Amino acid sequence: MQHASFGPEGAHIRWTGTAGAGDGDPPRVYVHGLGAISAVYHAHIAAVPALAGRRSLFVDLPGHGISDRPADFGYTLEDHADALAAALDAAGVRGAEVIGHSMGGSVAIVLAVRRPELVSRLVLTEANLDPDPPLTAGSSRIATHTEDAFVCGGGFEETLERVGPVWRATMRLADPTALHRSACALARGTRPTMRAMLLGLEIPRMYLVGGHGDELTGRDELTAAGVTVRTVPGAGHNVMFDNAPGFAAAIADQP
């Protein structure tokens, strides 16, 4: 396990990883979604033969997994992107393929805009592209709580019950304050929006959507801008669990 300083003095963002074969291929950086942990969601994918052998980093964003949970941190998408950049700087990573799930995809877009030298390719899985998403079990519903009500008034516990066992397994390890602030930031989005930033990037970009809910807003616009959009059959939001072979094959298939 490695770490790098970010934000408040003494706070650390942490990651685990695998060494590469030294063949010059860019490393892959896996970034989890809201309330998740990178290795839990992606380590089995990085071990697939088509992807194994490349240096892989599984980074936990602030407030999640093995990373620190400072109370005086904003947990905006920009904050998360800057913390991720600190991790990649400390790891000596440049020109990485960044694979981001859900909120992690949004953070990856911001990272690519703010620190373009760190990112050579984006693979976004069910990533949030627009502010004010529909009211679901995720960020939009968490954001309906005030911070105090979520952290101290039962909102966190109610959310754990609502999201079900798979998400609960990692969300229960997240810091409630960090989870709420991250959810509010995700629901609020960025200016310009994540979608606008993605459309303006010139690096290879792939957007993966699960076939069970294949209703991607603005799909034609993304395709016209050079984003490779693929539907992974037999999968919902957690594509890497629902169809791991299909997910891994899409990552391995360079556009």
Side-chain angles (χ1 to χ4, degrees), residues 77-239:
L77 295 177
E78 294 86 356
D79 290 335
H80 281 305
D82 289 347
L84 178 56
L88 301 189
D89 285 339
V93 168
R94 291 291 184 275
E97 295 185 8
V98 182
I99 298 96
H101 176 231
S102 198
M103 183 183 79
S106 305
V107 172
I109 293 169
V110 177
L111 175 71
V113 171
R114 292 167 79 93
R115 294 289 305 276
E117 77 280 8
L118 298 180
V119 185
S120 64
R121 180 189 181 214
L122 286 175
V123 179
L124 309 173
T125 312
E126 293 266 322
N128 301 67
L129 298 180
D130 304 302
D132 303 317
L135 195 63
T136 64
S139 60
S140 54
R141 191 171 294 275
I142 291 174
T144 63
H145 297 273
T146 66
E147 183 173 308
D148 185 66
F150 185 79
V151 175
C152 303
F156 180 55
E157 291 76 12
E158 183 270 332
T159 298
L160 290 178
E161 288 300 316
R162 187 179 64 251
V163 299
V166 174
W167 202 357
R168 181 165 59 241
T170 56
M171 185 182 285
R172 66 185 180 85
L173 303 176
D175 177 78
T177 299
L179 186 66
H180 183 265
R181 291 180 188 174
S182 297
C184 289
L186 189 58
R188 185 170 60 247
T190 57
R191 297 295 182 271
T193 66
M194 295 87 79
R195 181 182 298 272
M197 287 191 281
L198 177 62
L199 291 172
L201 289 169
E202 296 183 354
I203 58 175
R205 295 148 294 161
M206 178 179 287
Y207 191 102
L208 303 178
V209 58
H212 287 167
D214 187 8
E215 298 176 359
L216 177 60
T217 301
R219 186 173 189 138
D220 291 344
E221 180 185 35
L222 291 171
T223 301
V227 180
T228 300
V229 180
R230 294 197 179 167
T231 298
V232 181
H237 185 63
N238 293 328
V239 177

Side-chain angles (χ1 to χ4, degrees), residues 8-95:
E9 184 176 355
H12 292 100
I13 182 170
R14 294 183 172 88
W15 65 93
T16 56
T18 62
D23 55 6
D25 288 329
R28 293 191 178 100
V29 177
Y30 295 87
V31 189
H32 62 84
L34 182 70
I37 295 174
S38 282
V40 173
Y41 276 67
H42 292 113
H44 66 294
I45 298 299
V48 169
L51 301 177
R54 186 87 63 90
R55 185 186 182 192
S56 299
L57 277 69
F58 309 104
V59 184
D60 285 345
L61 296 172
H64 294 73
I66 57 176
S67 289
D68 286 352
R69 296 138 159 77
D72 53 347
F73 190 63
Y75 297 98
T76 66
L77 295 177
E78 294 86 356
D79 290 335
H80 281 305
D82 289 347
L84 178 56
L88 301 189
D89 285 339
V93 168
R94 291 291 184 275

